């Protein structure tokens, strides 16, 4: 059987956040664009994101909200297509949104508002999207008009520019793969090993029993590791520790590292214990802690503690200091993370030194572009990853 040969100005592999944005913008420039994706639906991660409401950007986008072996690489694209540009697009499409906290912007209605907006932009500009299409056998042609040839869903495609927007391997059940890394390696680009980021921790030591018992309890904590710290909520789970504070610090955590968790960052427990002991000497230590946290937490935290049933008046200064230190400096050594099964992102990816920060084009492979999560740029929780997807996509779209 003879395979059909089709020619396009631009072929984009991956109909996710970055791929759809790039397709819409490149097609709006008059480029003939085809997007291919092996999934049965475009933008599955967009639909899942932000608890179904898509935290699509953040008021406070800045380079220090991103992890990368080159922390400067993301600056150019983020500056040229900023959060304000994306907010303007959202507003022009009549999508209602709100700030949840810390500049995080969510849809009032559903994440599908954002996906439909991108699909509409693609349709209006004339970009074609083909789903359920597996890609194989990508080669350079040596011809400057159509520099790449690939097999996709039984057809042979040729294109002048090939854009890799296949994201990272987190949540494989959504169609996520490490395919983009394989393509990068095929063309001689360096790829930093990927690992799960923005992911809950698992525990196996004695803290696992505590987490299990407290499953569902949330506390506002300050967690530090790897030279970073985050003040946000922590959630005890059956498997370990989750919640935004833990997801954030997980991107800075390496296997074997210890987390230092301040369970009561808003208090100075050593002083507070002395003050309350003076004012309410008969107050039980357990009740004091329950008033600051929850009954369940106080009960479990002090379970088996020699002073669990003591009144504050019965505590020595040294005992108060020890209790305060335990609460302010809880040391936890996670066994690991939940991995790609639940991770919001993959850290690592295509080395930014291999790409132009202006165009996202591979320096050694003209016409080959990498955008979005496949690149070694990973945002904090809070809409920063989508903003990188939009910005890197627009940067490439101007040059494909
Ligand atoms: P994305 O993953 O969006 O798209 C990649 C596309 O490539 C997919 O459609 C996939 O099917 C396709 N593909 C992969 N391999 C392929 C292959 N071999 N052949 C063909 N196609 C292939 N970020 C944020 O800023 N705010 C938020 O609220 C959230 N929330 C959130 C929740 C959850 C549960 C997850 C998993 C992630 C988030 N994120 C997030 C992160 C955000 O979803 C992510 O950073 C972006 O989707 C990355 O966009 P990309 O376009 O690079 O990849």
């Amino acid at each position: 059987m003879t395979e059909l040969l089709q020619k396009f100005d631009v072929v984009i592999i991956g109909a996710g956040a970055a791929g759809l944005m790039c397709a819409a913008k490149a097609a709006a420039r008059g480029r003939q664009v085809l997007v291919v994706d092996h999934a049965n639906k475009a933008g599955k991660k967009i639909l899942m994101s932000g608890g179904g409401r898509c935290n699509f950007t953040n008021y406070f986008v800045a380079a220090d909200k991103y992890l990368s072996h080159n922390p400067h690489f993301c600056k150019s694209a983020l500056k040229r297509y900023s959060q304000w540009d994306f907010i303007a697009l959202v507003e022009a499409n009549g999508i209602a949104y709100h700030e949840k906290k810390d500049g995080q912007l969510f849809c009032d209605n559903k994440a599908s508002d954002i996906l439909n907006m991108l699909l509409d932009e693609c349709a209006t500009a004339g970009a074609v999207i083909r789903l359920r299409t597996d890609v194989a056998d990508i080669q350079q042609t040596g011809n400057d008009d159509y520099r790449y040839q690939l097999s996709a869903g039984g057809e042979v495609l040729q294109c002048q520019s090939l854009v890799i927007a296949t994201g990272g391997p987190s949540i494989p059940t959504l169609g996520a793969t490490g395919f983009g890394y394989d393509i990068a390696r095929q063309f001689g680009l360096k790829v930093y090993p990927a690992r799960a980021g923005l992911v809950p921790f698992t525990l196996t030591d004695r803290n696992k029993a505590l987490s299990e018992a407290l499953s569902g309890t949330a506390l506002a904590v300050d967690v530090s590791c790897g030279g970073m710290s985050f003040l946000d909520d922590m959630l005890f789970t059956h498997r370990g520790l989750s919640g935004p504070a833990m997801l954030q610090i997980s991107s800075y955590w390496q296997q074997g590292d210890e987390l230092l968790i301040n369970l009561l960052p808003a208090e100075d427990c050593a002083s507070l214990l002395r003050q309350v002991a003076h004012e309410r000497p008969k107050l039980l230590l357990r009740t004091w802690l329950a008033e600051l946290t929850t009954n369940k937490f106080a009960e479990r935290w002090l379970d088996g503690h020699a002073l669990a049933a003591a009144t504050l008046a019965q505590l020595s200064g040294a005992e108060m200091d020890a209790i305060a230190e335990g609460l302010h400096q809880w040391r936890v050594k996670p066994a690991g993370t939940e991995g790609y099964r639940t991770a919001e992102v993959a850290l690592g990816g295509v080395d930014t030194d291999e790409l132009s920060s202006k165009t996202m084009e591979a320096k050694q492979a003209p016409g080959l572009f990498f955008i979005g999560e496949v690149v070694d740029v990973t945002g904090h929780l809070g809409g920063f990853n989508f903003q990188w997807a939009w910005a890197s996509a627009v940067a490439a779209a101007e040059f494909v």
Side-chain angles (χ1 to χ4, degrees):
M1 191 180 80
T2 324
E3 288 176 318
L4 282 173
L5 173 64
Q6 294 190 40
K7 296 186 175 187
F8 294 88
D9 294 331
V10 184
V11 168
I12 299 172
I13 308 178
L20 293 175
M21 182 59 135
C22 188
K25 293 287 183 188
R29 274 181 54 226
R31 303 290 277 161
Q32 200 195 354
V33 179
L34 173 71
V35 188
V36 292
D37 197 305
H38 66 169
N40 60 356
K41 200 169 172 33
K44 284 190 181 181
K45 280 194 187 169
I46 299 176
L47 294 176
M48 283 270 291
S49 68
R53 290 233 161 96
C54 187
N55 179 192
F56 54 80
T57 192
N58 192 294
Y59 281 141
F60 307 115
V61 173
D64 67 358
K65 297 288 193 283
Y66 293 87
L67 294 93
S68 171
H69 287 82
N70 176 359
H72 303 292
F73 180 84
C74 62
K75 289 180 182 170
S76 168
L78 290 172
K79 194 170 167 195
R80 281 178 293 139
Y81 189 83
S82 72
Q83 66 273 40
W84 310 113
D85 293 310
F86 194 77
I87 292 166
L89 181 66
V90 166
E91 290 181 353
N93 280 270
I95 297 173
Y97 66 93
H98 60 278
E99 179 186 358
K100 201 163 164 191
K101 63 169 189 172
D102 302 330
Q104 301 168 4
L105 302 187
F106 287 77
C107 297
D108 285 358
N109 182 28
K110 281 185 181 165
S112 55
D113 286 355
I114 298 293
L115 178 58
N116 291 337
M117 174 185 82
L118 294 168
L119 293 173
D120 286 351
E121 295 274 320
C122 285
T124 306
V128 176
I129 301 169
R130 282 191 202 151
L131 301 172
R132 296 187 180 90
T133 302
D134 286 317
V135 176
D137 195 27
I138 302 172
Q139 303 294 338
Q140 276 168 325
T141 60
N143 167 356
D144 270 357
D145 290 337
Y146 292 98
R147 290 182 285 206
Y148 291 88
Q149 175 168 309
L150 51 144
S151 301
E155 289 171 345
V156 178
L157 309 178
Q158 286 189 350
C159 56
Q160 193 174 49
S161 299
L162 178 63
V163 182
I164 311 304
T166 45
S170 65
I171 322 237
T173 49
L174 292 182
T177 68
F179 187 55
Y181 308 147
D182 299 339
I183 300 171
R185 287 192 200 99
Q186 181 191 334
F187 290 97
L189 277 64
K190 182 176 165 191
V191 177
Y192 283 107
R195 68 187 168 90
L198 300 180
V199 62
F201 290 108
T202 54
L203 303 174
T204 48
D205 60 6
R206 64 191 167 78
N207 288 321
K208 167 124 195 276
L210 179 74
S211 282
E212 256 176 341
L214 288 173
S215 175
T217 300
L219 290 179
V221 305
D222 192 342
V223 58
S224 310
C225 184
M228 254 327 251
S229 65
F230 292 95
L231 183 64
D232 212 323
D233 289 341
M234 175 183 82
L235 180 70
F236 291 96
T237 73
H238 283 291
R239 293 165 60 87
L241 299 173
S242 186
M246 294 301 124
L247 299 189
Q248 295 280 35
I249 206 72
S250 71
S251 295
Y252 291 85
W253 178 84
Q254 304 279 352
Q255 189 69 43
D257 283 353
E258 193 175 66
L259 305 176
L260 184 61
I261 305 176
N262 184 346
L263 293 163
L264 286 167
E267 310 293 343
D268 172 351
C269 288
S271 311
L272 190 66
L273 273 167
R274 284 168 173 79
Q275 183 195 326
V276 180
H278 182 68
E279 292 162 1
R280 298 158 71 191
K282 290 191 178 148
L283 189 70
L284 290 173
L285 174 62
R286 184 186 291 138
T287 313
W288 171 80
L289 187 55
E291 286 176 6
L292 289 172
T293 57
T294 65
N295 279 329
K296 197 168 156 190
F297 177 82
E299 202 174 295
R300 295 292 175 174
W301 184 256
L302 294 171
D303 192 25
H305 198 289
L307 299 169
T311 64
L312 297 191
Q314 290 170 324
L315 301 180
S316 69
E319 285 166 341
M320 288 182 181
D321 289 342
I323 289 160
E325 190 181 323
L327 290 165
H328 286 313
Q329 294 185 40
W330 186 36
R331 291 175 188 279
V332 179
K333 198 166 182 177
T337 69
E338 291 189 3
Y340 291 134
R341 191 179 61 82
T342 61
E344 279 201 14
V345 285
L347 294 144
V350 178
D351 182 355
T352 57
D353 285 352
E354 305 279 10
L355 308 176
S356 154
S357 61
K358 190 174 172 204
T359 65
M360 304 294 140
E361 188 174 16
K363 292 174 188 166
Q364 305 303 327
L368 183 64
F369 297 74
F370 290 83
I371 58 173
E373 198 181 319
V374 71
V375 180
D376 173 36
V377 173
T378 307
H380 287 187
L381 192 76
F384 301 104
N385 283 299
F386 278 136
Q387 187 58 38
W388 169 247
W390 318 136
S392 57
V394 173
E398 287 165 17
F399 294 92
V400 289

